[in-house]
Amino acid sequence: MSKSRIYETLFQSPEEGWQLYTSAQAPDGKCICTAVIPAQSTCSRDGRSRELRQLMGKVQNVSQSMEVLELRTYRDLQYVRSMETLMRSLDARLRAADGSLSAKSFQELKDRMSELLPLSSVLEQYKADTRTIVRLREEVRNLSSSLAAIQEEMGAYGYEDLQRRVMALEARLHACAQKLGCGKLTGVSNPITVRAMGSRFGSWMTDTMAPSADSRVWYMDGYYKGRRVLEFRTLGDFIKGQNFIQHLLPQPWAGTGHVVYNGSLFYNKYQSNVVVKYHFRSRSVLVQRSLPGAGYNNTFPYSWGGFSDMDFMVDESGLWAVYTTNQNAGNIVVSRLDPHTLEVVRSWDTGYPKRSAGEAFMICGVLYVTNSHLAGAKVYFAYFTNTSSYEYTDVPFHNQYSHISMLDYNPRERALYTWNNGHQVLYNVTLFHVISTAGDP
């Protein structure tokens, strides 16, 4: 009896879970291939399967956004709770005074209470908002479970209802982020120098959509024709210059207005008005698209030059592009971009000349512009996209190294990332959050 020899090799599709076994039989020379598919067949050509996976991806993004929202508001909640403790302490002292305090001390206590009294409505609102976050988190869990069950059974039942729930949850999360994390810029802290590395111009950043466990830092030295991006595992590794990998972009960049958002780098392709979305994990360009009418190649840069015609930003609302067109007579245009297709969702003409701006950044749908990139710079202009209006501001900040070539806001950390004359610098920001009472319009 002839013996059979069996060679077994396993190939698995990461998306569908297909397993392919190949066997070679000796007697007749036939090759037998056996494909073992999942218990409930999920074929990539099945449109319903793709739609379900897309919904699961959206729910995962919502879950990540929830974590970012909690991280960003943690300090605010801690501050508010400490104020509540102080108010209770002062109130107890006032009640217990009963004539034992001098008139001066009693008046000082009353004045202090008067100062803190407006915070009472803020305290109650923050408590209510915290409960809202808990409810949203529970809805995310329920949706994830429902989607997983539907995908496992591969049935169409309930899909449309799930889709509506996902869309509604996304809308509620966006509204919650605007309410909890947003406010008007009223202050910028003293600079925190993280490291001195590289040339006079460059860019460094973290992913605004990454979960708390992901603290990777990306570093891009220079302002034109560069292709080398360094990815450091943590901020500590970046400071020490260790544990990094290199990405070589297929197309060179222009300027320093790059941003990392949800695992991808968005940048301006050199000598063009093309926006490129480069995915780090797959090391590939997912999409690229021209920004209609946008100037490039130092046609409409910031005051410091450096091919800074196009500047990409991320805030609580999503992805933005700041640039200028001939039709807008050199004034700053701010456009909301679809992060998947890079199509322009909506644009605003701010009326502010871009060549007079040192740098700019977005917070809560508001574009803030500095009047210079040199020493003595301050946040001088604010454009509100929700009302299509603007105002002149006066928010100073310490330009320690006297030449800013990159200034970007990170909503996850509520901090400004800056490249200042070869130094990588952070600033914390103070946002004034107005809470309307029931009687307000």
Side-chain angles (χ1 to χ4, degrees):
M1 184 175 68
S2 60
K3 295 183 179 180
S4 298
R5 291 193 302 166
I6 300 177
Y7 301 92
E8 191 172 70
T9 308
L10 171 66
F11 299 92
Q12 184 166 342
S13 164
E15 290 189 357
E16 306 296 345
W18 285 71
Q19 297 176 351
L20 177 64
Y21 292 85
T22 64
S23 304
Q25 294 284 342
D28 55 8
K30 289 182 179 178
C31 176
I32 302 174
C33 297
T34 305
V36 181
I37 63 176
Q40 286 80 25
S41 174
T42 61
C43 179
S44 62
R45 293 185 295 273
D46 183 350
R48 185 66 65 179
S49 302
R50 288 197 302 271
E51 290 171 340
L52 285 169
R53 286 197 301 277
Q54 288 169 0
L55 277 184
M56 291 194 76
K58 285 189 175 184
V59 173
Q60 184 179 8
N61 285 339
V62 168
S63 181
Q64 289 178 349
S65 298
M66 286 293 304
E67 186 173 358
V68 170
L69 180 62
E70 289 181 294
L71 285 170
R72 195 178 62 234
T73 57
Y74 175 77
R75 287 178 299 177
D76 292 344
L77 292 171
Q78 290 296 101
Y79 173 76
V80 168
R81 286 168 183 153
S82 67
M83 290 298 100
E84 183 178 31
T85 302
L86 178 59
M87 287 176 66
R88 288 176 177 171
S89 174
L90 287 173
D91 184 61
R93 289 179 62 187
L94 276 172
R95 293 178 184 277
D98 195 24
S100 61
L101 291 176
S102 66
K104 181 180 179 182
S105 298
F106 187 76
Q107 188 60 45
E108 287 176 352
L109 274 177
K110 285 187 65 177
D111 292 343
R112 183 66 173 139
M113 278 296 294
S114 297
E115 292 174 5
L116 293 174
L117 194 59
L119 283 176
S120 59
S121 60
V122 177
L123 289 168
E124 294 307 313
Q125 188 63 59
Y126 263 114
K127 291 176 183 177
D129 291 339
T130 303
R131 291 191 291 271
T132 299
I133 289 179
V134 172
R135 287 195 297 269
L136 281 169
R137 191 190 301 115
E138 186 61 30
E139 286 189 47
V140 170
R141 290 198 193 101
N142 292 340
L143 273 173
S144 297
S145 299
S146 299
L147 283 167
I150 290 290
Q151 190 175 44
E152 186 174 327
E153 295 175 8
M154 290 317 301
Y157 175 75
Y159 172 79
E160 286 76 12
D161 178 59
L162 284 169
Q163 185 180 39
R164 284 193 295 271
R165 288 171 64 188
V166 170
M167 299 299 290
L169 188 60
E170 283 185 317
R172 288 180 59 199
L173 177 68
H174 176 68
C176 188
Q178 289 286 335
K179 181 180 180 183
L180 279 179
C182 282
K184 183 178 180 181
L185 179 68
T186 58
V188 178
S189 74
N190 286 325
I192 304 166
T193 301
V194 176
R195 189 177 181 188
M197 176 183 180
S199 64
R200 194 178 189 187
F201 313 97
S203 184
W204 72 295
M205 65 217 82
T206 57
D207 191 339
T208 59
M209 274 287 287
S212 58
D214 186 350
S215 58
R216 287 175 294 170
V217 175
W218 287 270
Y219 169 91
M220 301 167 69
D221 191 13
Y223 65 84
Y224 77 107
K225 295 173 67 174
R227 294 175 58 204
R228 182 169 170 261
V229 182
L230 300 186
E231 177 187 309
F232 292 85
R233 189 177 61 183
T234 65
L235 180 62
D237 288 331
F238 173 68
I239 293 171
K240 297 174 183 177
Q242 64 184 21
N243 294 326
F244 64 88
I245 60 176
Q246 177 177 288
H247 299 268
L248 194 63
L249 301 178
Q251 298 151 335
W253 73 68
T256 58
H258 331 298
V259 70
V260 175
Y261 180 52
N262 206 15
S264 293
L265 172 71
F266 296 81
Y267 71 95
N268 175 210
K269 180 182 174 182
Y270 179 59
Q271 289 189 329
S272 75
N273 62 1
V274 172
V275 187
V276 179
K277 179 181 180 180
Y278 175 84
H279 189 238
F280 284 115
R281 189 173 63 183
S282 64
R283 293 178 177 261
S284 64
V285 173
L286 297 185
V287 63
Q288 54 184 332
R289 181 183 296 273
S290 293
L291 201 54
Y296 62 94
N297 207 26
N298 266 340
T299 304
F300 297 113
Y302 288 125
S303 60
W304 64 274
F307 296 88
S308 56
D309 303 77
M310 296 167 64
D311 194 359
F312 303 104
M313 309 170 182
V314 170
D315 72 349
E316 293 77 4
S317 305
L319 179 66
W320 301 84
V322 168
Y323 56 99
T324 293
T325 69
N326 284 317
Q327 291 78 7
N328 293 91
N331 293 329
I332 290 178
V333 175
V334 56
S335 292
R336 177 81 181 274
L337 300 184
D338 183 317
H340 305 291
T341 65
L342 300 182
E343 292 178 336
V344 173
V345 177
R346 185 180 173 186
S347 295
W348 293 261
D349 183 348
T350 66
Y352 193 93
K354 191 162 185 287
R355 286 182 174 273
S356 298
E359 271 288 345
F361 54 92
M362 293 288 297
I363 299 180
C364 301
V366 180
L367 178 71
Y368 292 97
V369 181
T370 69
N371 63 342
S372 174
H373 61 283
L374 303 172
K378 61 183 179 181
V379 181
Y380 180 72
F381 177 85
Y383 186 87
F384 304 88
T385 59
N386 63 333
T387 59
S388 300
S389 61
Y390 68 89
E391 69 178 24
Y392 288 95
T393 61
D394 187 6
V395 182
F397 64 95
H398 182 34
N399 187 350
Q400 186 172 4
Y401 303 105
S402 303
H403 197 289
I404 292 175
S405 60
M406 170 253 175
L407 180 61
D408 213 356
Y409 173 68
N410 186 311
R412 182 179 73 163
E413 300 164 8
R414 193 174 285 177
L416 295 174
Y417 279 64
T418 306
W419 189 292
N420 196 335
N421 217 352
H423 298 79
Q424 292 74 50
V425 181
L426 288 174
Y427 295 88
N428 291 316
V429 299
T430 302
L431 303 181
F432 181 70
H433 181 46
V434 179
I435 295 179
S436 300
T437 61
D440 289 341

